[in-house]
Amino acid sequence: MTILIYDGSFEGLFTAIYECYINKIPFYKIVPKNKIQQNFFEEYKFIETDLIKAEKLQKKIISNISQKALHKIYYVFISEIDNKEELICSFLKLGFEFKKETHQYLSNKIVLTVNRISQKVLKEKHLLLGLIRFRELKNNIFYAPIEPKYNILILLTPHFVKRMPLQNWIIHDTKRKIAAIYNQKGLLLIELDTAISTFSDQEEKFQSLWKEYFENIKIEDRVKPKLQKQHMPLRYWKYLIEKSL
Amino acid sequence: MDLIEKLKILGGAAKFDVSCSSSGSMRENKRMGIGNTSVSGICHSWTDDGRCISLLKVLLTNFCIYDCAYCANRISNDIPRAIFTPDELTELTINFYKRNYIEGLFLSSAIIKNPDYTMELMLKTVKKLRNEHKFNGYIHLKIIPGTDLKLIKEAGFYADRVSVNIELPNNESLKKLAPQKKKEDIIQPMSYIQSKINETKKIKKVKIYKPQPIFAPAGQSTQIIIGATPDNDLNILTLSQNLYKKFHLKRVYYSAYIPINKHPILPNTAPPLLREHRLYQADWLLRLYGFNSEELLNSENPNLDLDLDPKSAWALKNLHLFPIEINTADYEMLIRIPGIGINSAKKIIIARKIGYLTFDDLKSFGVVLKRAKYFITCQGKYYGISSFYPDTIKKFLISETLKQKYRDGQLSFFEINDLSGITGEL
């Protein structure tokens, strides 16, 4: 069996799927290049990422299935689960068969898994829109480190571009070592290794004001740490101001 | 007094106000400013007692001329007092907002000097935020009862949501416990706000070239204290229903009374939080599930059952309507099934277009059947228990909640054991 290798990007995966699709061959096994496990008996073929082919597939998904389906596929991709390629391929196969009705097959195992994963990704995105904490740096940049479970950095940016158009800001995924940088004109995605910690002079003042506020609005007789953690899981506390690990 | 002291006092003084929503508004950033609002609302943190923090919720001041029996800030209480200047409040709001601590500001106040003076100070802060700082984030403004309508009009054009607190469910209690507040001072602004909301909505519908300002785009809400007076749940829910129907309120918030002050006509114990919870459940049934308060309660049963959620209680009283066939029931009926919410009902409607649904299908896409199973059939098949009597089903429903509590660690094994005799299942 031939195994297709792609560069690990979303467009790369789409190029690989497009190749299978256009050549009318059943979907191959597709793996990202950093996950190749050399096997003597298998044949490997490296697929060069081709933006045009990737876009063609995107358009095909939108017209044949739906925009929603494309979004869900993207959410599965950034969930970084094992075998995401396989799940996406099976979902597409189903999608091209059932067309616009695909999303009605709620109890189909593949649709179910895709829905469940997209929901988890979207839930984390929504949660982080609230839990991100910016810190003011010396040079008037607002900096927010995050460590999301899923690779949702890009999903977060449109919200803050709209909300803080006149502020320079950086959102830094310290786990994946990537950062989104916004300079009031445009957005840039870069690799960024180490977290920044040179804060402005007034930063500490507002941090302690926030902490005091947080402390003083709790209702002592009704403290429910378990409920609090249900809403705001511990893994997000590392970069909160009002809580720490 | 420094800012941190003021924040401690005036943040702490606002913590019993239960509203925290930041949803329902679509204020956009006009590019030269800071902030916008999110239609769905965003929680930015959760307090140690598990409540969502969305807005910087503070009082402008806790200096008060009134002496309401239930209130911590009443004039006769000896407590530390403070007042924010508009500059201090805007500085806090803007800097918290820039750091993404909050969605915006929730500004309430005790009454200093007189209602108009207080409202003017609050407006000054809000205007500063909107005009000087170009702040487009969410603002919730509390309307002080007895304020001149002119000021309320201004408030509505600067805030996303406004609210007048009803506080007590009837006029008698108001006279006894808050003698300086008058019923008219509460109802009049509410109906005025409603008329302004309607008026500007109408303008919005007509196509015009220059967008007109919308009055309180996120609507109005109110708050009722539960358990400070002998009012029953039927009184309270009927009041809420009228508020939703007459004034189109977005939300009525219920706040379980906390005994802060000693007063001869006030109870010394707080009502069970469970009652507050049941009222909220019933409130959702009124707002989103098409129920009437008369369906849930009547003069013979004027209080909600603390053992059962209001929908289950209603279903048991109307068992002749059940079981309902999942594959044919319409949406309005589906959402009346205990345990089936809006999301589940929508999923059922989508999925059954493909083919008849089985019990396992429902399970597979996440419909919770713990309670629903007693009230439904799937393709004619019933999965509940053999005897279809209200009392038997009630026992099973209660035992389900107890099991849940046991799993959550809220109940010890011995309590469970004691109850096994009643439920016969554990």
Side-chain angles (χ1 to χ4, degrees):
Chain A
M1 190 169 80
T2 313
I3 293 177
L4 299 187
I5 313 288
Y6 73 104
D7 62 0
S9 70
F10 187 64
E11 291 77 12
L13 175 63
F14 264 41
T15 313
I17 297 175
Y18 182 82
E19 291 291 347
C20 302
Y21 193 76
I22 213 73
N23 295 324
K24 291 212 164 67
I25 31 176
F27 291 122
Y28 288 103
K29 198 172 171 169
I30 305 173
V31 287
K33 67 174 180 209
N34 58 355
K35 275 200 184 146
I36 308 171
Q37 287 168 335
Q38 286 291 347
N39 185 324
F40 192 71
F41 299 101
E42 278 164 347
E43 209 181 301
Y44 293 91
K45 190 180 168 199
F46 188 81
I47 299 291
E48 201 72 50
T49 298
D50 182 334
L51 294 181
I52 295 169
K53 285 177 182 168
E55 208 191 314
K56 272 186 184 165
L57 180 63
Q58 286 196 24
K59 279 187 181 148
K60 211 169 190 69
I61 294 171
I62 294 170
S63 61
N64 275 320
I65 316 172
S66 64
Q67 181 91 40
K68 206 159 71 181
L70 180 62
H71 284 167
K72 283 181 182 172
I73 290 167
Y74 184 69
Y75 299 147
V76 170
F77 183 79
I78 61 172
S79 77
E80 299 178 338
I81 54 154
D82 287 338
N83 298 331
K84 58 179 185 293
E85 294 83 5
E86 208 182 313
L87 179 61
I88 290 173
C89 287
S90 332
F91 182 68
L92 275 178
K93 225 160 145 184
L94 204 76
F96 287 134
E97 192 184 333
F98 294 119
K99 303 272 164 14
K100 297 202 184 317
E101 281 180 2
T102 311
H103 73 278
Q104 296 177 2
Y105 285 82
L106 283 182
S107 50
N108 177 291
K109 230 178 161 180
I110 293 159
V111 178
L112 201 67
T113 319
V114 167
N115 281 346
R116 202 172 288 151
I117 294 168
S118 342
Q119 231 158 40
K120 277 187 187 166
V121 170
L122 283 178
K123 203 177 152 198
E124 185 180 50
K125 175 208 154 191
H126 184 78
L127 189 63
L128 271 189
L129 288 184
L131 292 184
I132 281 187
R133 296 286 177 267
F134 286 102
R135 292 132 168 94
E136 192 183 14
L137 304 179
K138 279 228 166 15
N139 43 8
N140 202 23
I141 294 171
F142 285 79
Y143 168 79
I146 54 172
E147 264 181 28
K149 191 169 173 190
Y150 309 116
N151 194 359
I152 53 166
L153 176 62
I154 298 173
L155 292 187
L156 296 171
T157 52
H159 174 82
F160 291 101
V161 170
K162 269 188 236 141
R163 178 161 286 198
M164 285 133 178
L166 299 181
Q167 193 165 304
N168 299 315
W169 48 259
I170 301 172
I171 303 174
H172 184 193
D173 184 337
T174 52
K175 195 163 93 188
R176 294 174 185 82
K177 302 194 191 313
I178 45 173
I181 298 183
Y182 175 79
N183 66 352
Q184 301 182 36
K185 288 186 205 88
L187 197 67
L188 198 65
L189 204 65
I190 59 153
E191 284 178 22
L192 186 63
D193 220 342
T194 40
I196 309 172
S197 55
T198 44
F199 301 130
S200 76
D201 298 336
Q202 57 165 4
E203 180 55 25
E204 205 197 310
K205 170 184 158 190
F206 289 108
Q207 289 196 6
S208 46
L209 278 165
W210 176 243
K211 277 187 229 165
E212 275 306 327
Y213 175 71
F214 185 84
E215 262 312 297
N216 277 279
I217 55 168
K218 69 171 174 224
I219 298 177
E220 302 270 2
D221 315 343
R222 299 185 192 171
V223 169
K224 296 179 196 111
K226 221 173 154 179
L227 182 64
Q228 184 184 36
K229 279 171 201 148
Q230 239 171 52
H231 289 303
M232 186 163 73
L234 270 179
R235 65 171 176 275
Y236 302 113
W237 287 24
K238 185 172 171 187
Y239 293 124
L240 286 180
I241 305 294
E242 63 273 28
K243 287 279 180 195
S244 51
L245 279 180
Chain B
M1 192 186 286
D2 63 0
L3 194 53
I4 214 158
E5 271 311 304
K6 287 188 182 182
L7 185 59
K8 270 189 196 172
I9 295 171
L10 297 169
K15 72 182 170 189
F16 293 116
D17 210 301
V18 279
S19 156
C20 87
S21 160
S22 62
S23 60
S25 193
M26 283 198 287
R27 192 178 295 274
E28 280 174 25
N29 192 313
K30 284 142 207 142
R31 191 60 206 169
M32 66 286 196
I34 167 174
N36 58 3
T37 63
S38 153
V39 197
S40 59
I42 294 174
C43 287
H44 284 258
S45 191
W46 279 266
T47 58
D48 290 345
D49 51 289
R51 292 172 305 149
C52 150
I53 304 174
S54 185
L55 305 168
L56 169 63
K57 199 191 294 175
V58 289
L59 299 188
L60 176 90
T61 178
N62 64 345
F63 283 108
C64 199
I65 54 167
Y66 285 1
D67 203 23
C68 304
Y70 51 83
C71 182
N73 300 318
R74 63 179 186 158
I75 188 168
S76 50
N77 276 5
D78 182 21
I79 51 164
R81 310 263 174 182
I83 180 168
F84 278 126
T85 66
D87 280 323
E88 287 168 334
L89 260 180
T90 44
E91 188 197 5
L92 273 176
T93 309
I94 293 289
N95 276 289
F96 280 7
Y97 194 85
K98 279 182 171 176
R99 288 165 176 77
N100 205 42
Y101 300 165
I102 52 170
E103 275 301 285
L105 176 67
F106 177 115
L107 188 56
S108 180
S109 185
I111 294 145
I112 186 166
K113 273 190 196 165
N114 60 56
D116 282 353
Y117 179 78
T118 314
M119 202 69 230
E120 267 165 14
L121 279 181
M122 292 165 78
L123 272 170
K124 214 170 155 185
T125 307
V126 174
K127 282 183 190 168
K128 228 180 180 55
L129 274 170
R130 291 278 196 240
N131 298 338
E132 281 174 37
H133 295 271
K134 312 272 183 236
F135 178 73
N136 297 304
Y138 197 94
I139 295 179
H140 182 145
L141 256 187
K142 193 62 80 181
I143 301 295
I144 307 295
T147 308
D148 194 292
L149 294 185
K150 260 196 302 198
L151 295 174
I152 298 179
K153 185 177 169 188
E154 270 197 289
F157 283 115
Y158 280 99
D160 293 276
R161 175 170 283 182
V162 288
S163 59
V164 193
N165 278 1
I166 290 216
E167 307 289 20
L168 300 167
N170 71 62
N171 206 14
E172 288 310 302
S173 336
L174 203 61
K175 271 185 198 154
K176 273 188 210 147
L177 297 176
Q180 289 123 318
K181 285 185 185 162
K182 283 189 250 112
K183 187 186 160 198
E184 303 77 59
D185 291 346
I186 296 165
I187 298 302
Q188 197 198 10
M190 274 187 158
S191 79
Y192 175 75
I193 290 165
Q194 168 54 18
S195 70
K196 289 306 281 184
I197 291 176
N198 262 351
E199 216 174 87
T200 53
K201 249 192 201 154
K202 268 180 211 146
I203 299 173
K204 204 181 144 198
K205 272 181 197 156
V206 185
K207 268 209 168 170
I208 34 162
Y209 294 101
K210 194 171 171 255
Q212 298 295 306
I214 301 171
F215 192 88
Q220 65 168 325
S221 62
T222 193
Q223 174 174 319
I224 304 175
I225 300 168
I226 305 304
T229 58
D231 294 281
N232 60 35
D233 293 346
L234 179 61
N235 296 149
I236 292 162
L237 283 179
T238 310
L239 174 64
S240 303
Q241 183 165 293
N242 285 333
L243 291 171
Y244 289 132
K245 281 191 179 150
K246 268 194 198 143
F247 297 142
H248 301 277
L249 257 65
K250 281 277 152 52
R251 287 290 299 269
V252 174
Y253 290 95
Y254 308 94
S255 152
Y257 167 70
I258 297 168
I260 303 169
N261 307 322
K262 281 216 161 76
H263 194 281
I265 48 171
L266 277 177
N268 277 321
T269 48
L273 283 174
L274 189 55
R275 182 180 173 203
E276 182 192 283
H277 177 61
R278 291 282 181 246
L279 278 167
Y280 273 114
Q281 288 180 315
D283 183 87
W284 282 79
L285 294 183
L286 298 185
R287 275 187 298 129
L288 302 169
Y289 287 79
F291 280 85
N292 278 316
S293 62
E294 300 80 29
E295 286 180 280
L296 300 173
L297 296 168
N298 53 47
S299 48
E300 281 143 47
N301 294 301
N303 286 307
L304 295 165
D305 191 335
L306 292 182
D307 293 330
L308 275 181
D309 66 279
K311 210 207 264 182
S312 295
W314 170 82
L316 290 178
K317 269 185 267 163
N318 294 278
L319 213 52
H320 59 280
L321 300 172
F322 295 95
I324 285 170
E325 172 55 44
I326 283 292
N327 286 292
T328 51
D330 56 16
Y331 174 78
E332 283 70 27
M333 204 58 220
L334 283 177
I335 55 174
R336 285 187 167 235
I337 301 169
I340 293 196
I342 306 264
N343 278 334
S344 294
K346 281 184 183 158
K347 278 187 194 163
I348 290 170
I349 301 255
I350 291 174
R352 73 186 184 189
K353 283 184 193 159
I354 300 293
Y356 280 110
L357 298 174
T358 64
F359 198 68
D360 289 332
D361 284 336
L362 296 181
K363 255 192 208 161
S364 74
F365 53 82
V367 177
V368 181
L369 295 159
K370 212 170 57 192
R371 268 169 295 157
K373 69 178 174 203
Y374 302 106
F375 301 97
I376 59 167
T377 56
C378 300
Q379 302 181 44
K381 205 160 178 264
Y382 181 66
Y383 292 82
I385 41 169
S386 52
S387 64
F388 198 65
Y389 295 107
D391 289 347
T392 339
I393 296 177
K394 184 173 178 176
K395 276 176 194 162
F396 276 91
L397 287 173
I398 292 174
S399 82
E400 283 290 355
T401 36
L402 287 180
K403 272 195 275 182
Q404 186 61 43
K405 276 188 182 164
Y406 178 61
R407 277 193 290 269
D408 292 350
Q410 293 167 11
L411 214 60
S412 77
F413 182 70
F414 293 103
E415 285 169 88
I416 280 279
N417 246 359
D418 288 345
L419 288 158
S420 61
I422 318 168
T423 60
E425 206 205 24
L426 296 159

